[in-house]
Structure formats: structure tokens, C-alpha cells
Amino acid sequence: MYAQLVINIEAPLETTFHYHMPGDLQQKLCIGHLVEVEFGRRLAQGIVVAFDDTAPVAETKPIIALIDPEPVIRSWQVALARWLSDYYLAPLNSCLRLLLPPGLTRWSDTTLEINPVWDGEGRVTKTQEAILAVLEEKGDMRGRQLKQALPKKYRKKWQKAANQLVRRNILLKGTVLEPPRVRPKKIRTAELVARPRDVWNASLNLGRANKQSDVLHYLAQSNDPLPAENDVLENTGAGEDHLTALEEADLIQRSPASTLLVPDASTAQVPEELQEAFEQLPALADSLAPEAVSAMEAGELVQVIEQPATVGLAVPRQEALRHIFELRNGHNYHAILELLRQVAQPLALSDIYAETDGSMYHLRRLEKQGLIRFGSEEVWRDPLADRDFVPTEAPQLTSDQWQVWEQIKEATDEARQEQIAPKPFLLHGVTGSGKTEIYMRAIEAALKRGEQAIVLVPEIALTPQTVRRFAARFPGHVAVMHSRLSDGQRYDTWRRARQGLIDIVVGPRSALFTPFNNLGVIVVDEEHDHSYKQAPPIPAPYYHARETAIEIGRLVRATVILGSATPDLVTYHRAKAGQYQLLELPKRVMGHRMRIEGQAKRLSVDSRYAHSEEDPEDTLSIPLPPVKIVDLRQELRAGNRSVFSRALQEAVDEALERDEQVILFLNRRGSHSFVLCRDCGEVLKCPSCDLPLTYHRANIALICHHCGRQKAQPEHCPQCGSRRIKYFGLGTEELESLVRQRWSDARVVRWDSDTTARHDSHEEILASFVKHEADILVGTQMIAKGLDLPLVTLVGVISADVSLGLPDFQIGERTFQLLTQVAGRAGRGLLGGRVIVQTYKPDHYAIQAAADHDYVTFYLEEIRFRTRHSYPPFRRLAKLLLIDPNNERGRKEAAKLAQALQQHRREKALSATEIVGPVPPFFQRIDGRYRWQILVRAPDPARLLRDFEVPRPWLVDIDPASTL
Ligand code: ADP
Ligand code: ZN
Ligand code: ZN
């Protein structure tokens, strides 16, 4: 038997490799196991994807070791990797790597040592001398360690120098696998093992010697509750002063030496005059009259007992113990022991440190005394661990929701019976139409069947809201997965899912690869969002999360629900063609009565939501907001040169007057605030990207939004030296300051990717706006996404057509989606609202349709345009991209490839396949490197490319999100 492995190395590998399994591994190995092997001449990780009776090569190498006793990949994931590789024309090993948690992948590193038989002969360079010196001193080292140990000036060329030494046999080279970056997090714990007696015994060995403590200890352990003072002093070696100190501290009680008189039983007659004294017996001699005492003694009426001075504890024993430790300066020991006694189970050391002032030193001493035992426990790094979620109950569905849900349920049950995958669903409904409730029903049903669910959201910024909502409905079941988590957190979430400890994962793209063993539902919310598509220049595969979700659904027979207010044109087209099942929720916004009424009360406003007859009691709804289009050309003609049209100004005034909130929306941050010389017309551009630099007021600097380069604000035109340099266009910062000028009494906040770069700041800014700590929110498209702003009654779109001029076939669709989503914002408030869209192209169908909330009309117009130009969905695209610092070389390479592709197309007689280009893309120069691209437009571009060797530096992007 042979194991077929995918080798996890950085270099792209299309195929699998066969290895044989040494005896003990034969039994253990399963599909999906991560193993260590030799690949070429170095060590590498491999993943078992199949077993074979034969191997295609005569001699196979053995598998060296199993890295993780549990499989890291499930068999459906192996199939998924093969599909990704085939569909996106990406190397199989990079597709499989996508499914591993970050940090588990280990690259091999070289080890270097001086050849022991080297005689020291031969000339070496300065760098080589330095390398030899380090190795001489430290013995063999890993490549990366060696580089770090070298003086800075030798680091740059160390590798080449070392390789020469290897070739001359002066150095010996080997390989190792780096240790993984993540491993399960173990915490050290301690627990109490001592019995109470052991603690008493040990108390005299901890801390500093102290006589007073010895006395307390003696008293506490003595059988006699009131031992004689002399015995105490003798046995403890303490002195009189120690007792005095203890007495002053109220820890002991001392009784002085005394004479006790007890009546003598043999006494016959008590004389009259002694009668009174005798009756007081037994008594201390001191308390009686001295004459009476001597008389009674003389008459042998009493027995005289001489009592020594005694000492006793004045506090309970447990308290005495504390004082013993304290007196010995060992209160930390006591605090630790006491804490562990109370919890009566192993406790994390960090908790012990937090609860006491103890340190590792104290713990070690306690362990030496045999009082505590150290241990370790695995903990999950869970980013949600410190959040509380208030559970909420599922509302009764509206009749529309019922209809939708019934269809999903029926189709799912049917598919289940026939053991096939249900057809994917496209759920089309405006924001607030109740889609999320449907997702939750589907997930609830899946959980009941013992299945798991994945909920995809397009952006990390949206994760917290979605997580909150799902966690509230399914407390204890939900985990998050996204790239802002630490490697450790992601690794642990991945492992919890592998072990079946969580059921629902919420997150962007990568949440798709959660290794569930019985996945029942995949939700792709906002399925039209293009951030679901990976794009160059990051490493391949450039997969689309929606398409991948559908494939996973097919593989594991899970229900896939795509949801959107503005479905992707291709998705909608497929649904119309019967490939997906189309579900519609009517065009109105809903709310839960309790939430709406609660909000209204909290904000002391009268909500305009109303209850409609056919809905359940708990549902309130409100119609979609009216949208007004303002023609900016007419504004100009009327002499209004401000960025705010008269209609918008009026509307803002009104809203502010009524103490309502306004959102002013600018398409894409800083897109137009470029710098222009009024004398020579020079536009200041990024020297690396050839794109206009944007002016940022906050930094007083010019910033390139493609490579992040910053330049100081110039005083003169670099071209002609003129001082007449002017900022044109509008960025969010500038809009913010214009708003402040025009509405000087209003409180203004800005929300864009500059202000939200910090981890939690988007939540903070929003929270403050929701609390009505600001009146006007100025922002970019980020505010178009799923959030709830109860007091917003006006959304102004400053310019709808910033992007309509860009040369990409999807621009109409993007504009429509954006405007619809923005308009959706205005519609969800308690007070209803309206939208004002400013544009230079009031007749454009995308703008018109968005204003009418009319997806279908937009779809029909757009599909007409797509048919006419053979764009998707009628043809599919593949983008071949070359990035080269040398523009001329790039152009030549591109021309060569285009020619070869044409040739290949003719040979394969693919008449419906077009090869467009090479052309420089719209964003031609990014980060100092030039781009060239070739578009393949065909019913299936992979048919042309699959058996065509695209040269290595070219990147192949199937179904690209943008052709710019
Ligand atoms: P979407 O996902 O389409 O944006 P949601 O599912 O978030 O829509 O619903 C919008 C609001 O309406 C939410 O506050 C939700 O709690 C509420 N809601 C949805 N369905 C119902 C229902 N059947 N009864 C009461 N409230 C509902
Ligand atoms: Zn100039
Ligand atoms: Zn740049």
C-alpha cells in the first residue's frame, strides 16, 4: 500500500506524490493526516489524500512521521481542494493549504555546520569569514538563526556566500522543518494535595523563623488547652517578651501562677467564722481574705493546689494558622493554600497570581513541601469568551417568511430523502425584510438534526453584529473566524470545530473552510458583495466564496442559502434559469415590536412603524423610503457651485431642526481630492503608481491609495514652479469640513476606512452615532452595510456617479448595488426617511432603478447590456495578469503570450473563445510595477487554459471581480 500525498511547500505543485508507509504507520494513517516526509532533498509536510496499491514510480520514499494524530483535512475537503484546483486553475497544494489553519503549515529550513574534515585551507570572502566565525562559535544552526546571528552588513548576501561554501564542501547542509507557529495553549495549574495536618506541619518550614509563631503553633497543637507557661517556653525556646507581644496582639491569653483552694472532703466541722469563706470554695487564694485563708489552711479544711502560670490561644485555630504564616512573613503561602482549599480543584497559575500576591517562588516552595501539585490544562483561545449574549427567542414568522421557509424546508427534506444535495436557494429581499430570521430557522433545523452551519458575511466589520445576533439566538454554539484573530485563536476555533465542540461559525471567506464533519447549512449573506472574491496579487487560488460554498453544498449535501437585496446579476440569472431556487421577500422593512417600541421609548420618539393585519402580533413594518434624484447639471446652471444641492441643504436643515440624524454618503474615500497646478495643469501623481495622489487634511500630506506612499504637501508645482496649486474634488475629510462649515451647529462624525483602521473603532464610532452623540455622519460605502440607525431620516448621496466613468463592465451593477444599499439605510430608522441622490447622470438606468427600488427593471436593462457585449453571464472571463517592474518587458511578454494563446485557440478550434489584449489595465502601475493583462472571454475559459502552460509569473484569475 502506498499513500498519495499532497506536498505542502511554497512552490506550486499540480500533482500528488506516492510514499510508502513503515510498519507501524500502515495501521494508523487515514485520509487527511498530516505527515512529515522528505521531498527532494529537504523535509516537508504532506497530507494524505488517497491510498493506492501501486505507485507510478519504482522507488518510493517512506513517510517519516505523523505530525498530528488527528486528520487535519476531511475527505470532503480533499474533494473540495481538487475542485478549487481544477475550477480556478490553481496548484493543488496551494488549494489544500487554504484548508489548513494558519500557523500549522511549516516550511523547511536549512541547517548548516562546518564540515569536520575541513582543514581550514582555501580563501574565503569577508561574508564567508563571518559565517564561519558564527558557526565556529555556536555549532550547527538553522539558516534563519544564522542570518540573525551575522553582523548586519553580511546579512544581505549570506545565502549565496553560504551556498558557495557548501559547494566547496566546507559547510555541510541539511534540512529541518521549522517548529509550527501555533500549538495548543496549555496553562499551568496548581492544586492542593495536603491534608490539614500537613499544612500545620509545613507551616513551621515556610517563611522566616519566628519565636512568636512557634508559640502559637505549640498552643494550637498541644493536647492541653492551657499548658503551663514554663513548658511552653521550654519547648519552643521562646522568651517572656515573645509572650508579652502575643498577648498584646490579643492572640493568647495568659493566666499568672496562682494558689487554688479546694474544700477538703474529710473535714468534719467548719467553724462559724470561716463559714462564709468556705462557701466560696473552690477559689483562688488571692480572692479571699488572707486571714481566712491561713485559718482554713491551719484547720486543714482545704486542700491547697499550687497552679503554675498558663497560656492559651485567644483565637480559633484556623485564625492562629494565618497568624503563624504572617508572623513568619509567609502570608503569601497562606493565601495560596487558603485559595486552593476553597476552590478544591486545579487552578490556573495566572488566577492564583491574580487572586493572591503569591509568585512562582512561593508555589515552588509549597510544592517542595508536598502541599500542592502542579499540572497543566488545555485552554481554548476563544475571542468570544468574555462576551455575554442575551438569548432571544425566535419570533413567529410572517406569512411571507413562512412561504419562504416552507419552500426551503420542503426542498431540504426531499433532497435528504433522495440523498442528493438540495438546489441552492437565492433569497432576494431588501435589508430588513427578514432574511436573517430565515437563516436562523434553517440553522435551528440543522442543529436539531445534529448538523453544523456556516454563516458567511462579506466583511470583518460586519462580523460583530452578525455574531451578536446568532449568539443571542444560539447561545454557546457560535464561534467567529476571521483574519484579525490571532493565529492561536484561529487554530483553536478550527480545532474546536474539528472536535465537534462548536456548531455555528460566523465570519468572512475563510470561515468556509471550517472542518465540520456534518455540515448542514451554509448561508452566504450579501452574496453579491465582491469582497467574497479573492484577487491577485496574493497567492492563488483566486476563489469566490459564494461559488465555493455552492460546491461545498454539493459535496456534503448541505443547504446553501444565498441572500441579498441586490443579487449578483449572474446569481439572479442562474436562479431565473432554474439552477437555483428563487425566493422573494416583499419590499418592505420589518422590525420586532419589542425592539422598535423599546427603541422609541429610549429615544422618546413616536415610531412610524405600523402593524399590518396579516402579520403576527410582534411584527411591525414600514415602507421603503422615497428616493429623490437631483440633477447636478441643473444646480450648476442655477449658479449653485456648492457640493450640496439646494434640495439636499433644505432636507438637512429640516432634519436637524427636528433633531433627527443625517448620513451623507460619499462614494469611496478621497477618490477625487487630487492636486492640480492651475498654470500648467500638472496633476500630482504617485511616482510608483502613476495614479493621482489624494490630499489628506489630517496628515497634511498627499497619500497614494494604492501603495500607501505619503508625500509632504508641496508649495510649488514640481513641473513649472507655480504657487497656484489647488486641491480638486472631494474626499471624506474635506466633505466633513464642508459640512462643518455649512452646518456649524451640528455635531459631525466621519466614518471611513481611515477612521476605522483601529480594531474596534468602527463599533465605537457607530455606537456613539446611535446614541445620538452626533447629528451628521459622513462616510464611505462602509456605512452601506447592515446596521441599524433608529434616528436617521435622511441619507444624502453626494455623488452617485463617481465610478460610472470607470471602464469595467460591472460598473452599472456596482452603482445600483451601492445606491440600493445606501437607500436601505434610510429606510430602517424608527421615523422612516428619505434619500436624496445627487448625480450628473440622472438618466442612467442604474440610478433610476435604484431610486425606484426596482431590482427587476435594473436586471432587465443590465442583462440587455451584457448580452449585447457578451459579458457574464453569457460568457465567462478569465484575466491573465502580468506584473513586471519593466514596462517594456511586460508589454513584450504579454504580446508573446497573447499570440501563443491565439495559436492554441485555433488548434483547439474554440471558435466561441475570444482573446482580448494584451492591454494595460486601468490601474496600470501599482507599487512601482507595471501591469499587463489579457482577457479570455468564453463559455468556459478554462477549456482554453487547462491544457495550456501559462508561464510562471502570470497570474490567472477566473471570473475576476474587476477588469480594472
Ligand atoms: P434582513 O436579514 O433581511 O436584513 P432581519 O431578519 O434582520 O432582515 O429582520 C429585520 C428586523 O425585523 C429584525 O430586527 C428582526 O428581528 C425583525 N423580524 C424579522 N422577522 C420577524 C418576525 N417574524 N417577527 C418579528 N420581528 C421580525
Ligand atoms: Zn505647474
Ligand atoms: Zn502609489
Side-chain angles (χ1 to χ4, degrees):
M1 280 280 270
Y2 298 91
Q4 228 187 86
L5 304 188
V6 169
I7 306 296
N8 188 16
I9 55 171
E10 258 169 312
L13 292 172
E14 302 295 344
T15 55
T16 55
F17 295 83
H18 285 71
Y19 284 79
H20 63 263
M21 298 170 273
D24 57 323
L25 280 179
Q26 285 267 11
Q27 309 301 323
K28 279 193 220 155
L29 276 190
C30 307
I31 302 266
H33 261 138
L34 188 67
V35 295
E36 186 173 325
V37 292
E38 203 179 80
F39 185 72
R41 253 176 295 152
R42 53 188 181 157
L43 293 178
Q45 288 180 333
I47 294 147
V48 181
V49 295
F51 295 101
D52 261 339
D53 289 335
T54 56
V57 286
E59 238 173 275
T60 55
K61 287 181 185 171
I63 287 176
I64 298 170
L66 186 55
I67 295 175
D68 187 331
E70 280 177 75
V72 294
I73 297 283
R74 296 193 183 275
S75 29
W76 65 265
Q77 292 183 305
V78 174
L80 179 67
R82 289 193 193 279
W83 177 82
L84 282 167
S85 165
D86 185 59
Y87 190 89
Y88 290 108
L89 302 175
L92 182 59
N93 63 344
S94 27
C95 292
L96 203 61
R97 181 153 59 242
L98 211 58
L99 311 180
L100 293 176
L104 196 64
T105 289
R106 304 187 298 164
W107 305 130
S108 76
D109 196 357
T110 48
T111 56
L112 289 165
E113 66 179 313
I114 297 175
N115 190 341
V117 303
W118 178 48
D119 51 10
E121 293 289 304
R123 283 180 41 177
V124 293
T125 64
K126 280 251 158 25
T127 310
Q128 289 169 338
E129 215 170 275
I131 291 173
L132 289 168
V134 169
L135 290 174
E136 186 81 40
E137 188 193 321
K138 307 210 164 155
D140 66 329
M141 284 180 102
R142 292 224 193 102
R144 265 160 247 202
Q145 289 173 324
L146 173 64
K147 184 180 168 189
Q148 286 311 311
L150 283 173
K152 263 223 170 72
K153 57 179 168 178
Y154 297 124
R155 283 187 200 163
K156 213 165 156 194
K157 296 205 173 127
W158 78 273
Q159 201 136 24
K160 205 168 147 204
N163 283 340
Q164 278 167 355
L165 291 176
V166 171
R167 246 172 282 132
R168 283 164 62 191
N169 230 353
I170 296 174
L171 290 187
L172 297 179
K173 192 170 172 179
T175 79
V176 284
L177 278 181
E178 260 176 48
R181 266 184 298 135
V182 290
R183 48 179 73 126
K185 186 174 172 186
K186 296 258 171 127
I187 47 161
R188 296 198 72 194
T189 58
E191 92 187 284
L192 189 69
V193 291
R195 291 158 304 171
R197 182 150 43 93
D198 303 328
V199 176
W200 279 98
N201 290 341
S203 68
L204 288 187
N205 298 324
L206 294 163
R208 253 190 261 129
N210 176 286
K211 284 294 170 216
Q212 291 183 40
S213 78
D214 293 349
V215 171
L216 286 181
H217 191 267
Y218 182 86
L219 293 179
Q221 297 296 306
S222 159
N223 290 327
D224 182 354
L226 287 174
E229 203 171 288
N230 273 341
D231 290 348
V232 175
L233 295 180
E234 210 165 282
N235 280 312
T236 60
E240 187 67 30
D241 49 334
H242 295 122
L243 294 185
T244 317
L246 284 167
E247 191 177 21
E248 273 165 14
D250 287 332
L251 295 176
I252 59 170
Q253 268 170 351
R254 302 172 70 180
S255 320
S258 58
T259 311
L260 185 69
L261 302 180
V262 180
D264 194 334
S266 62
T267 311
Q269 194 65 46
V270 181
E272 184 85 17
E273 68 277 17
L274 291 179
Q275 199 82 44
E276 197 185 332
F278 191 78
E279 259 160 30
Q280 290 179 40
L281 297 179
L284 287 176
D286 302 4
S287 60
L288 301 169
E291 309 83 58
V293 172
S294 13
M296 284 193 289
E297 256 184 282
E300 293 192 340
L301 296 174
V302 293
Q303 232 181 341
V304 178
I305 301 171
E306 290 297 336
Q307 288 248 342
T310 58
V311 193
L313 281 180
V315 292
R317 272 167 52 97
Q318 276 310 314
E319 207 181 320
L321 185 63
R322 179 167 63 85
H323 286 286
I324 291 171
F325 277 104
E326 265 167 27
L327 286 164
R328 303 179 64 88
N329 209 8
H331 56 275
N332 285 324
Y333 297 114
H334 183 259
I336 293 170
L337 289 169
E338 193 51 23
L339 177 68
L340 292 178
R341 189 180 65 77
Q342 276 167 17
V343 299
Q345 62 179 12
L347 197 61
L349 299 195
S350 56
D351 289 346
I352 297 178
Y353 300 152
E355 299 274 325
T356 70
D357 288 332
S359 67
M360 193 60 207
Y361 170 81
H362 300 108
L363 289 167
R364 284 225 184 84
R365 296 271 302 144
L366 287 172
E367 194 220 4
K368 258 221 168 96
Q369 293 287 323
L371 301 179
I372 65 168
R373 180 167 56 210
F374 286 123
S376 73
E377 243 170 53
E378 197 181 328
V379 288
W380 299 114
R381 284 155 290 202
D382 179 359
L384 298 180
D386 54 357
R387 294 206 185 184
D388 281 332
F389 296 101
V390 186
T392 53
E393 269 171 36
Q396 204 186 333
L397 295 183
T398 63
S399 54
D400 295 319
Q401 282 173 322
W402 259 118
Q403 241 170 18
V404 163
W405 168 232
E406 292 266 276
Q407 289 184 65
I408 295 179
K409 193 168 142 13
E410 253 165 51
T412 304
D413 290 348
E414 215 167 277
R416 184 163 287 282
Q417 249 164 26
E418 289 172 35
Q419 305 204 337
I420 54 167
K423 217 188 248 189
F425 298 96
L426 171 59
L427 178 52
H428 174 213
V430 292
T431 325
S433 58
K435 297 187 296 296
T436 307
E437 285 302 330
I438 301 290
Y439 305 155
M440 296 207 274
R441 285 287 156 139
I443 290 171
E444 191 188 336
L447 293 192
K448 275 202 190 118
R449 292 191 299 257
E451 297 166 351
Q452 303 92 33
I454 293 171
V455 181
L456 289 189
V457 291
E459 274 182 37
I460 292 173
L462 286 181
T463 324
Q465 288 146 259
T466 314
V467 167
R468 218 171 288 138
R469 193 136 167 223
F470 280 86
R473 183 67 59 82
F474 307 103
H477 290 271
V478 179
V480 282
M481 183 74 112
H482 57 71
S483 58
R484 283 211 194 141
L485 301 179
S486 69
D487 279 356
Q489 286 174 331
R490 286 163 82 183
Y491 180 52
D492 282 5
T493 307
W494 178 88
R495 279 167 53 246
R496 281 198 293 159
R498 182 172 70 169
Q499 289 186 22
L501 296 175
I502 43 176
D503 307 299
I504 305 171
V505 163
V506 179
R509 289 190 302 263
S510 58
L512 260 185
F513 304 123
T514 312
F516 283 135
N517 73 343
N518 198 7
L519 184 59
V521 172
I522 309 175
V523 170
V524 184
D525 195 23
E526 311 282 358
E527 63 84 34
H528 64 276
D529 198 297
H530 53 275
S531 54
Y532 279 130
K533 177 72 165 74
Q534 298 278 52
I538 59 157
Y542 306 118
Y543 68 95
H544 196 304
R546 183 211 318 135
E547 305 306 314
T548 309
I550 288 170
E551 177 60 19
I552 295 175
R554 204 182 61 78
L555 286 170
V556 304
R557 297 181 196 153
T559 306
V560 179
I561 307 176
L562 315 175
S564 176
T566 52
D568 184 283
L569 205 85
V570 175
T571 308
Y572 196 79
H573 185 260
R574 287 186 193 156
K576 281 283 176 203
Q579 215 172 325
Y580 306 149
Q581 190 168 339
L582 182 60
L583 307 166
E584 303 261 2
L585 280 173
K587 299 189 174 304
R588 72 195 162 110
V589 177
M590 267 200 295
H592 194 279
R593 185 187 286 273
M594 248 166 56
R595 196 177 56 87
I596 299 286
E597 286 173 356
Q599 262 180 2
K601 196 162 162 221
R602 199 165 52 244
L603 299 164
S604 15
V605 294
D606 293 324
S607 123
R608 294 199 195 126
Y609 276 76
H611 181 250
S612 100
E613 280 304 307
E614 69 267 23
D615 286 344
E617 270 302 292
D618 279 342
T619 329
L620 301 177
S621 63
I622 198 164
L624 285 173
V627 180
K628 180 183 171 67
I629 298 178
V630 174
D631 185 347
L632 285 176
R633 295 168 307 184
Q634 281 189 11
E635 289 295 306
L636 277 180
R637 261 176 240 133
N640 177 14
R641 300 196 162 269
S642 145
V643 299
F644 310 112
S645 63
R646 290 160 298 172
L648 182 60
Q649 295 192 31
E650 227 168 85
V652 173
D653 286 341
E654 277 171 30
L656 293 180
E657 201 138 295
R658 288 196 301 261
D659 209 17
E660 295 164 356
Q661 288 179 304
V662 175
I663 293 177
L664 293 178
F665 174 83
L666 190 67
N667 196 353
R668 190 158 273 156
R669 98 188 139 140
S671 54
H672 265 209
S673 59
F674 53 87
V675 184
L676 183 103
C677 170
R678 298 237 246 180
D679 286 328
C680 75
E682 168 86 351
V683 172
L684 294 193
K685 287 185 179 166
C686 169
S688 338
C689 305
D690 259 359
L691 288 170
L693 290 162
T694 9
Y695 175 64
H696 273 242
R697 192 175 296 266
N699 315 24
I700 319 182
L702 300 173
I703 294 178
C704 170
H705 277 292
H706 276 271
C707 68
R709 187 184 296 264
Q710 286 210 10
K711 282 183 73 115
Q713 171 189 5
E715 283 180 28
H716 303 275
C717 167
Q719 188 80 7
C720 73
S722 158
R723 282 175 160 274
R724 282 154 49 88
I725 269 192
K726 180 142 168 54
Y727 305 100
F728 271 92
L730 196 58
T732 37
E733 284 168 53
E734 201 172 356
L735 178 59
E736 180 189 354
S737 87
L738 289 174
V739 171
R740 285 183 194 281
Q741 275 169 33
R742 172 63 181 76
W743 290 280
S744 50
D745 291 338
R747 297 161 300 171
V748 184
V749 287
R750 178 163 58 90
W751 201 51
D752 59 18
S753 40
D754 285 341
T755 56
T756 57
R758 221 162 35 79
H759 183 36
D760 280 330
S761 55
H762 50 260
E763 282 199 81
E764 283 163 30
I765 294 174
L766 272 183
S768 106
F769 189 62
V770 169
K771 277 189 261 162
H772 206 170
E773 288 167 3
D775 305 303
I776 303 179
L777 178 71
V778 172
T780 56
Q781 51 255 65
M782 291 177 70
I783 53 172
K785 305 267 173 70
L787 55 101
D788 212 10
L789 302 162
L791 288 181
V792 172
T793 54
L794 174 66
V795 172
V797 179
I798 299 299
S799 168
D801 31 31
V802 172
S803 54
L804 278 179
L806 292 178
D808 183 271
F809 72 94
Q810 293 166 104
I811 283 306
E813 185 178 10
R814 293 278 151 78
T815 304
F816 175 79
Q817 287 168 348
L818 199 61
L819 290 179
T820 307
Q821 303 274 342
V822 171
R825 283 307 104 234
R828 288 194 74 180
L830 290 176
L831 306 170
R834 54 180 168 153
V835 182
I836 293 182
V837 175
Q838 306 189 135
T839 173
Y840 286 100
K841 297 193 178 85
D843 302 323
H844 194 285
Y845 63 89
I847 293 176
Q848 291 271 345
D852 293 341
H853 305 291
D854 187 352
Y855 179 81
V856 173
T857 301
F858 163 75
Y859 169 77
L860 292 174
E861 281 291 337
E862 181 71 14
I863 215 81
R864 199 169 303 149
F865 159 75
R866 302 274 179 106
T867 330
R868 211 178 315 131
H869 300 284
S870 297
Y871 278 122
F874 304 102
R875 291 282 190 279
R876 286 176 50 211
L877 295 180
K879 178 163 95 177
L880 281 70
L881 183 69
L882 180 67
I883 303 176
D884 197 316
N886 182 329
N887 193 25
E888 193 44 33
R889 184 173 59 199
R891 193 186 59 76
K892 279 194 189 136
E893 282 301 315
K896 214 166 77 189
L897 181 66
Q899 216 164 30
L901 280 170
Q902 294 287 10
Q903 175 71 24
H904 187 62
R905 183 184 67 99
R906 277 192 296 273
E907 281 164 13
K908 296 196 74 175
L910 296 168
S911 56
T913 298
E914 283 172 84
I915 291 154
V916 186
V919 286
F922 183 76
F923 297 115
Q924 199 211 341
R925 196 170 167 220
I926 293 177
D927 213 0
R929 296 189 299 169
Y930 292 86
R931 299 175 162 225
W932 283 90
Q933 77 185 20
I934 297 170
L935 288 180
V936 178
R937 184 157 53 184
D940 177 12
R943 274 187 69 196
L944 176 77
L945 297 171
R946 202 165 277 137
D947 55 357
F948 180 88
E949 186 107 5
V950 179
R952 181 69 187 284
W954 283 86
L955 304 171
V956 180
D957 185 0
I958 303 286
D959 305 331
S962 158
T963 58
L964 294 174

